[in-house]
């Protein structure tokens, strides 16, 4: 049995027998690029502060943007916001954290490609900003996704969270009190 996190994730996703299944969600991929401590908390199912203004705003955008097309497709480990003309669309309330959102969408495209042999283009949508950007699964993105999967594995298998690091968006984080109180 393989110990490579990417191979374990693929085997888990395909329903193959795995001694130690390994799962990565889109949120985990996003958190990996935002804050590794936040990723560790998420991996332990520690509930976020649902009353946090940032969470409330994101939930509102989730519930209202593209409501006529919204599908929330659950495919194994991933949950797609919607498909629009065959493209995978990831909806975000803001473009403030572009790289994490792009990598979440890149992971969805990688997952569809590697697990289901479905090749799609992606669109990152920021409806409040009336902005959309295309995201393609290039060789460079594939490498970055697979490297992140290994990094996620390293973090979530640790017995304790990584140390808190002060970042510009800590005050708006739903896990703020776990780090700074």
């Amino acid at each position: 049995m393989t110990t490579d996190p990417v191979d374990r994730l693929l085997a888990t996703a395909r329903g193959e027998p795995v001694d130690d299944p390994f799962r990565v969600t889109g949120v985990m991929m996003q958190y990996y690029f935002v804050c590794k401590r936040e990723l560790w908390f998420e991996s332990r199912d520690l509930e976020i502060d649902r009353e946090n203004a940032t969470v409330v705003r994101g939930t509102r955008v989730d519930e209202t943007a593209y409501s006529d097309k919204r599908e929330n497709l659950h495919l194994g480990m991933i949950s797609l916001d919607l498909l629009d003309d065959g493209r995978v669309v990831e909806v975000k309330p803001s473009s403030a954290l572009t790289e994490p959102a792009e990598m979440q969408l890149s992971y969805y495209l990688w997952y569809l490609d590697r697990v289901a042999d479905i090749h799609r283009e992606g669109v990152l949508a920021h409806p409040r900003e009336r902005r959309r950007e295309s995201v393609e699964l290039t060789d460079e993105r594939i490498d970055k996704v697979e490297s992140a999967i290994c990094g996620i594995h390293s973090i979530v298998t640790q017995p304790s969270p990584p140390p808190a690091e002060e970042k510009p968006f800590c005050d708006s984080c739903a896990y703020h009190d776990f780090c700074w109180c």
Side-chain angles (χ1 to χ4, degrees):
M1 207 46 77
T2 183
T3 58
D4 176 64
V6 174
D7 291 340
R8 282 185 37 220
L9 182 143
L10 289 170
T12 301
R14 293 176 180 144
E16 298 168 5
V18 181
D19 290 336
D20 189 13
F22 177 53
R23 300 177 55 81
V24 172
T25 66
V27 170
M28 292 170 78
M29 182 63 67
Q30 179 182 337
Y31 285 179
Y32 179 76
F33 288 92
V34 173
C35 174
K36 292 171 176 51
R37 186 172 172 91
E38 185 177 32
L39 166 63
W40 190 91
F41 291 140
E42 164 68 18
S43 76
R44 299 304 193 272
D45 294 323
L46 294 173
E47 184 62 28
I48 60 174
D49 175 8
R50 295 273 171 210
E51 302 303 314
N52 175 288
T54 304
V55 173
V56 170
R57 185 181 72 222
T59 301
R60 191 173 313 118
V61 168
D62 255 1
E63 292 171 348
T64 59
Y66 303 99
S67 59
D68 57 326
K69 298 180 182 180
R70 199 60 167 238
E71 298 176 46
N72 287 86
L73 301 167
H74 300 284
L75 305 167
M77 295 178 205
I78 63 172
S79 182
L80 308 178
D81 287 343
L82 67 109
L83 290 173
D84 186 19
D85 293 328
R87 294 173 298 173
V88 176
V89 180
E90 179 62 22
V91 180
K92 294 296 181 190
S94 157
S95 60
L97 296 171
T98 302
E99 182 189 28
E102 286 176 354
M103 290 311 300
Q104 180 178 3
L105 180 53
S106 296
Y107 173 63
Y108 292 158
L109 299 174
W110 176 90
Y111 186 95
L112 289 171
D113 180 63
R114 295 299 194 267
V115 175
D117 199 28
I118 296 171
H119 310 283
R120 292 286 181 258
E121 291 183 13
V123 175
L124 190 54
H126 307 285
R128 293 170 48 124
E129 300 171 7
R130 299 176 192 253
R131 191 170 150 220
R132 294 166 64 100
E133 60 188 88
S134 294
V135 174
E136 289 185 44
L137 187 62
T138 62
D139 289 341
E140 182 181 327
R141 282 193 192 274
I142 289 169
D143 290 345
K144 198 168 181 179
V145 166
E146 291 179 356
S147 176
I149 290 168
C150 293
I152 289 168
H153 181 268
S154 176
I155 290 164
V156 303
T157 57
Q158 294 299 313
S160 58
E165 293 179 34
E166 187 80 33
K167 297 185 180 195
F169 41 81
C170 285
D171 288 342
S172 62
C173 177
Y175 290 102
H176 178 273
D177 291 351
F178 287 178
C179 301
W180 306 112
C181 289

